[in-house]
Amino acid sequence: MFHERALLLGRLNRHEQALAIYALVLKDIDLAKEYCSRTYNKDEFESKDVYLSLFTMYLNPPDFQKLGVTVGSSVAIPTQPNVEAALQVLVEHHERIDTPKALNALPSSTKLESVLQFLVDVVEEQCVQRRHSQVLRSLFWSELLQVEQKRIHMESHCIAISEERLCESCKKRLGTSAFARFPDGRILHFWCFEETTKTKGRLKREM
């Protein structure tokens, strides 16, 4: 019955209530983590902190009456922190948990060796992200330089249009009309260039 209630609460986005049933009523950490895995979405406000909710729930079991979950007097609800379960969630899913919030929630009596693996994983992940960002910046900078070099190269070409110069398409004089230049050196009236481009595009679609 409680499992079905948790599923229903999850569909209603009442994640803390659903997690309370999995973690503290059913006392099944695997079901609680599975629920978080299904629900977590870093881009959605309602579900980006489900792992943090599970973590803090083990550290500070909520008052079920205030939480709005009725379980009956026959069900024994833990009232003491389950630090071991909380640390298990923290270590296994550190990349989906807000680090400062998690550290602030830990009891002051928590030993360093208990969270050492979590801290190592967080530092390693940040180093990887930093290297990834540096690689992306290098790639963007290289692409920017290539574009700039291409622009300078293109602007270095000087095109002289004489009064006798004819459009390669319509064979009429260019005069003072707007024109376009193909990479192979052909020069067309700008409207001829547009028409040529449209025709080529149409032929490709028909093929």
Side-chain angles (χ1 to χ4, degrees):
M1 179 182 73
F2 286 117
H3 194 179
E4 288 74 14
R5 283 179 62 185
L7 290 173
L8 179 59
L9 289 168
R11 294 192 185 99
L12 298 173
N13 289 330
R14 294 160 68 174
H15 304 307
E16 286 197 12
Q17 294 176 327
L19 284 173
I21 291 176
Y22 285 127
L24 305 178
V25 176
L26 298 176
K27 301 178 181 61
D28 193 324
I29 190 172
D30 291 328
L31 280 178
K33 290 189 294 185
E34 182 183 330
Y35 176 85
C36 290
S37 178
R38 293 196 310 269
T39 307
Y40 175 79
N41 186 329
K42 64 183 179 65
D43 297 320
E44 290 186 4
F45 179 79
E46 296 83 0
S47 56
K48 65 184 179 69
D49 284 331
V50 286
Y51 282 100
L52 180 63
S53 295
L54 179 60
F55 168 74
T56 55
M57 190 168 292
Y58 278 125
L59 290 178
N60 300 292
D63 183 322
F64 270 59
Q65 187 174 357
K66 292 181 179 179
L67 193 61
V69 178
T70 304
V71 294
S73 57
S74 61
V75 179
I77 303 298
T79 57
Q80 298 300 315
N82 187 343
V83 179
E84 182 181 350
L87 291 176
Q88 180 180 338
V89 174
L90 186 64
V91 171
E92 291 180 4
H93 305 284
H94 66 275
E95 74 283 358
R96 295 181 171 184
I97 296 176
D98 187 300
T99 302
K101 291 181 180 179
L103 293 177
N104 287 332
L106 285 170
S108 57
S109 58
T110 305
K111 295 181 179 180
L112 177 60
E113 55 263 31
S114 301
V115 294
L116 183 58
Q117 186 59 54
F118 162 70
L119 295 174
V120 170
D121 291 341
V122 168
V123 171
E124 286 181 350
E125 184 181 356
Q126 289 179 344
C127 289
V128 169
Q129 290 178 349
R130 183 177 180 182
R131 286 195 295 270
H132 181 66
S133 297
Q134 289 173 339
V135 170
L136 286 178
R137 281 199 299 269
S138 297
L139 291 173
F140 289 148
W141 179 248
S142 175
E143 185 177 357
L144 179 63
L145 288 177
Q146 292 178 15
V147 172
E148 183 65 12
Q149 289 174 353
K150 186 175 181 180
R151 182 188 67 80
I152 293 173
H153 174 72
M154 295 300 294
E155 290 181 351
S156 66
H157 290 280
C158 180
I159 303 173
I161 305 295
S162 65
E163 293 184 0
E164 290 77 20
R165 187 68 179 262
L166 302 179
C167 170
E168 297 285 344
S169 178
C170 67
K171 304 305 179 184
K172 296 179 180 179
R173 288 185 180 183
L174 292 170
T176 58
S177 302
F179 64 89
R181 179 183 181 274
F182 280 98
D184 60 6
R186 289 181 298 145
I187 295 178
L188 284 69
H189 286 113
F190 188 74
W191 58 82
C192 292
F193 164 78
E194 285 188 321
E195 187 61 32
T196 300
T197 304
K198 290 178 183 178
T199 301
K200 287 183 178 179
R202 188 165 54 249
L203 289 175
K204 285 183 179 180
R205 288 194 297 271
E206 291 175 355
M207 293 174 61

